[in-house]
Amino acid sequence: MFVSKKSCIFAPDFKTTMTRLSVNINKVATLRNARGGNLPDVEQFAKDCERFGAQGITVHPRPDERHIRRPDVYALRNLITTEFNIEGNPQPAFVDLVCEVRPTQVTLVPDAEDQLTSNHGWDTKQHLAKLTALIQRFRREGIRVSVFVNADPEMVEYAKRAGADRVELYTGPFAELYDRDAAAAIEMIRPAAEKAHEIGIGLNAGHDLNLRNLQALITEFPWIDEVSIGHALIADALYLGIEETIRRYRACCIPAVD
């Protein structure tokens, strides 16, 4: 088992990359909204992230529009040339927005309206009927569907039963443990990651992934299709610049070779 606490700095040939990097730009919108106006320019930032190597753009429009706003989602639809991932709680307004915009992927997250950040996944067994109906609607629109779940193999299995194309593993607990006990953090993820691989459902991961823990996760579970990273990546960009930051995260998306 590969476990490393070193930051990923140098990038080998990106042609070998298996896991895609989607940059969550919510925090850029938060900064813009703090002063009004259009600085920083969320649309230009998304275009630049793609230019610098991001393989997707993620947004999470919340009902209070404290960061990404509905007009941002419509504008980004016409700009993004890689993959567009819209995540959020599938309330009626969100469902209508996603079906109108028709992004590459929708990620269903069970957030409360006033929730600061996503901190748990769906109970896919309890909400099987609800999720099945939602997934059918999105798939009729040609949208790939990912369901945000805790790293629990049963939740992965029931997401598959609901018809989801992918699950996104909530990696907050993994990241919290990783700096204290990297090996234990990897084992925390293993049952769910291996269940996804076993039953043939796509696997995404997200929440608190960063330059210290990302490559260890990818190396141990190289079948992860995509990681969605926002807060840590934008924080790193304050010091490194966005181009260098994306380069480093892309490097971490390539499994390490012993």
Side-chain angles (χ1 to χ4, degrees), residues 30-252:
T30 301
L31 183 59
R32 176 201 62 188
N33 297 350
R35 285 286 296 269
N38 194 40
L39 183 67
D41 186 326
V42 170
E43 295 170 36
Q44 185 61 49
F45 191 86
K47 291 166 61 178
D48 288 338
C49 285
E50 290 186 314
R51 182 162 60 91
F52 296 144
Q55 297 152 302
I57 300 295
T58 292
V59 296
H60 188 145
R62 285 186 163 88
D64 61 9
E65 295 195 326
R66 65 179 182 266
H67 34 62
I68 289 293
R69 298 167 175 163
R70 289 180 70 91
D72 295 326
V73 178
Y74 290 113
L76 289 166
R77 169 183 58 181
N78 300 318
L79 293 176
I80 293 171
T81 60
T82 55
E83 291 196 353
F84 192 17
N85 174 44
I86 303 177
E87 60 182 30
N89 189 316
Q91 299 298 327
F94 176 87
V95 172
D96 291 344
L97 173 66
V98 171
C99 288
E100 185 175 349
V101 172
R102 296 178 68 185
T104 314
Q105 176 176 270
V106 60
T107 301
L108 307 182
V109 183
D111 281 350
E113 287 195 10
D114 60 350
Q115 193 157 332
L116 179 63
T117 186
S118 305
N119 62 11
H120 66 283
W122 287 93
D123 183 331
T124 52
K125 184 176 182 179
Q126 178 182 346
H127 296 287
L128 179 62
K130 175 181 180 177
L131 290 170
T132 299
L134 285 165
I135 290 166
Q136 288 175 349
R137 179 171 178 186
F138 289 129
R139 294 192 70 181
R140 283 197 298 268
E141 298 294 335
I143 304 166
R144 185 173 72 224
V145 184
S146 178
V147 177
F148 193 66
V149 298
N150 294 339
D152 179 336
E154 185 177 37
M155 297 302 101
V156 173
E157 183 174 352
Y158 274 87
K160 172 76 170 180
R161 294 189 189 187
D165 300 286
R166 297 183 181 181
V167 290
E168 178 176 331
L169 296 186
Y170 170 49
T171 50
F174 159 82
E176 183 178 358
L177 179 59
Y178 186 84
D179 288 333
R180 303 194 310 272
D181 189 336
I186 290 291
E187 293 309 309
M188 176 188 294
I189 297 294
R190 185 178 302 284
E194 292 187 345
K195 173 59 72 172
H197 197 44
E198 173 192 334
I199 66 177
I201 190 170
L203 183 62
N204 296 342
H207 207 87
D208 292 338
L209 297 176
N210 56 45
L211 291 173
R212 296 188 306 278
N213 60 37
L214 177 58
Q215 192 170 51
L217 185 73
I218 299 301
T219 299
E220 197 65 32
F221 312 112
W223 56 88
I224 293 175
D225 294 294
E226 173 188 289
V227 289
S228 175
I229 305 177
H231 185 82
L233 189 150
I234 300 303
D236 288 332
L238 294 175
Y239 291 92
L240 302 172
I242 189 60
E243 182 174 8
E244 174 63 13
T245 298
I246 288 175
R247 188 184 75 86
R248 294 192 188 195
Y249 275 87
R250 283 285 305 273
C252 288

